[in-house]
Amino acid sequence: MTQPWLLAAQRFPLLRALLLALAGVGTIAQGAIFGDGNPHNGIEDQRSVSALALLDATGTIYCNGGLRGTAAHVTVPGADVKTLAIIVTAAHVLVDSTTGDAFDQCHYRPKNQRFDEVAFKRTSAHQFDPQRDNKIEQAETDIAFVELVKPLRQPALRLAIAPPNNPVMGEQSLLLIGYNSDLDKITSSADCELFTSAQFASDALLLHNCDATRGASGGPIISVYPGGESHFSPSTAEIIAVHGGTFFLNSRDGSPDSTTAPEGAVVDPERWINQARKIDPSLLQQLQHFTAYPAKDSRF
């Protein structure tokens, strides 16, 4: 059924222009599955259940009775993972999308195992606002650290500063680990690529085509250099970004499109592209401050 606001926007060009202006560059959806537009050649969904040990370092977040996203157990320089448990995720999975209020009952499930779930102790301060008009600025704030009430019996991954936005083809690929709602499992999306975009330019964001849908938000993006994913282990892998969702620009004729790119659509970095918040020095400093001063840098 066509929404009343859409009919009005189509009939009145000035109203349509106002709606697009309020939307900033577009909207953010949960995540897109990219391919070459041909659903018959088998590459429209690169997510797979992998034997990678890296999956053991990730889990899912449940808040107020629902699965909200993915998170990764991370190391903190100078801290012992046997006494301190920190996870990193997308900030938007921790708040109500309407009010922006933090959910009051959140747990982390290592490897998506509900019998091993661990409650949140506190969450780092962040500026994510689900109602912010500028979607690029919104995505730049879409990351948070969480301290759990007890240590975890799972490996932890390191955070590393992401490379600048000038990808060199063939020298680096990406691996996204996230919850797969189709399989109800955590899966990996391998052989994805970095992209640049004039429309969605930001030094704080990494643009990519890793397959992802609802539930993968907050999943770690790991840089894979020549040698492939088989050489990666929790002791050597480095998280360079945290998946946030999809930038989606309204169609070129100005009318609103669907909420995300069609499954298997060809990547168009000026129109629809997945995005992640890069790990940068400011975030590493925030993590150190969060763990060193628990009373000051916390949302609770």
Side-chain angles (χ1 to χ4, degrees), residues 77-158:
D80 186 352
V81 294
K82 295 180 180 179
T83 60
L84 177 70
I86 300 292
I87 59 174
V88 64
T89 188
H92 79 259
V93 310
L94 306 178
V95 301
D96 185 284
S97 60
T98 302
T99 65
D101 295 332
F103 292 120
D104 54 7
Q105 295 290 331
C106 289
H107 295 80
Y108 172 69
R109 294 182 175 180
K111 296 184 285 186
N112 197 34
Q113 301 296 316
R114 65 188 183 93
F115 294 112
D116 293 332
E117 71 177 18
V118 182
F120 284 17
K121 183 177 181 179
R122 61 194 182 97
T123 303
S124 65
H126 59 79
Q127 281 70 52
F128 180 80
D129 178 1
Q131 303 304 316
R132 181 176 295 190
D133 292 333
N134 188 311
K135 299 307 177 183
I136 292 180
E137 291 181 358
Q138 184 187 69
E140 292 172 340
T141 64
D142 194 11
I143 192 168
F145 299 103
V146 178
E147 180 183 358
L148 305 177
V149 297
K150 66 178 183 179
L152 296 172
R153 296 174 296 176
Q154 69 172 155
L157 303 177
R158 293 181 295 177

Side-chain angles (χ1 to χ4, degrees), residues 77 148 183 275:
L148 305 177
L183 299 178
Q275 54 83 13

Side-chain angles (χ1 to χ4, degrees), residues 22-39:
L22 290 174
V25 298
T27 58
I28 299 180
Q30 292 293 322
I33 297 176
F34 293 114
D36 62 357
N38 179 5

Side-chain angles (χ1 to χ4, degrees), residues 277 280-287:
R277 178 55 165 91
D280 57 26
S282 68
L283 284 176
L284 295 181
Q285 184 178 19
Q286 180 184 342
L287 175 59

Side-chain angles (χ1 to χ4, degrees), residues 6-17:
L6 177 54
L7 291 174
Q10 291 172 336
R11 294 180 60 187
F12 301 102
L14 289 178
L15 175 60
R16 181 176 65 193

Side-chain angles (χ1 to χ4, degrees), residues 179-202:
Y179 177 75
N180 185 332
S181 57
D182 296 330
L183 299 178
D184 189 27
K185 295 179 181 293
I186 295 175
T187 64
S188 64
S189 177
D191 300 322
C192 356
E193 299 172 307
L194 291 163
F195 288 84
T196 57
S197 169
Q199 184 70 57
F200 306 119
S202 169

